[in-house]
Amino acid sequence: MSDQQKPMSQRLQDSTPSSGQAIRFLTAATIGGVLLGLSGLTLTGTVISLIIVTPVLVLFSPILIPAGIVLFLVTAGFLFAGGCGVAALAALAWIYNYVAGKHPPGSEQLDYARMRIASKARDLKERAKESGNQVQQKTQEASVQGS
């Protein structure tokens, strides 16, 4: 039976929410209303505080602005130093794990890079020897021809 053929009272009864849905809606509406009221009170308190404190801030701004800058720089310095300390500890822990043979993350890449550098160094050493031998042969040929 389609919705068009049902009587109006039957359609209303089918579309009414259950009691659980009604309780959820009322609970959400109550909590939302309370939170909206609290946010309004917070905004009102903030605006009133700014109105009262603005003249004091204007009078003391020559002192407060440099003090704020110094406080910011000191805080940033301490945070940076702490971050560098944490990074150094992490690097030392990684190095310890690598040396102890525990294979920390990235150790395979480091081993691969070390092997590639060693093979390139061997190749370069061989090329240097070959170049040195060629130069030595040419100088000997030149000295033989010059004599």
Side-chain angles (χ1 to χ4, degrees):
M1 192 182 250
S2 70
D3 283 341
Q4 295 290 337
Q5 295 173 350
K6 288 183 181 178
M8 182 64 132
S9 61
Q10 181 68 28
R11 280 189 279 170
L12 283 174
Q13 190 176 13
D14 290 344
S15 66
T16 57
S18 67
S19 61
Q21 288 176 330
I23 290 173
R24 279 188 240 132
F25 172 75
L26 289 175
T27 304
T30 304
I31 292 173
V34 168
L35 290 175
L36 184 62
L38 286 175
S39 68
L41 286 174
T42 304
L43 178 65
T44 304
T46 303
V47 170
I48 290 173
S49 298
L50 279 174
I51 290 171
I52 292 171
V53 174
T54 299
V56 175
L57 289 175
V58 169
L59 289 175
F60 288 106
S61 65
I63 297 169
L64 293 177
I65 290 175
I69 291 171
V70 167
L71 187 65
F72 171 76
L73 291 175
V74 167
T75 304
F78 276 116
L79 289 175
F80 181 74
C84 286
V86 168
L89 285 175
L92 286 173
W94 190 92
I95 291 170
Y96 174 78
N97 287 335
Y98 181 75
V99 170
K102 296 180 182 176
H103 301 291
S107 62
E108 292 84 18
Q109 292 173 337
L110 182 66
D111 291 337
Y112 177 71
R114 189 180 62 207
M115 289 187 321
R116 288 214 34 196
I117 290 172
S119 72
K120 291 291 182 184
R122 281 191 295 273
D123 292 343
L124 188 62
K125 181 180 175 184
E126 290 173 12
R127 286 184 189 173
K129 279 186 179 179
E130 290 173 7
S131 297
N133 289 338
Q134 287 176 357
V135 168
Q136 192 175 26
Q137 286 175 357
K138 287 183 181 180
T139 54
Q140 286 176 354
E141 290 174 3
S143 64
V144 169
Q145 291 176 358
S147 313

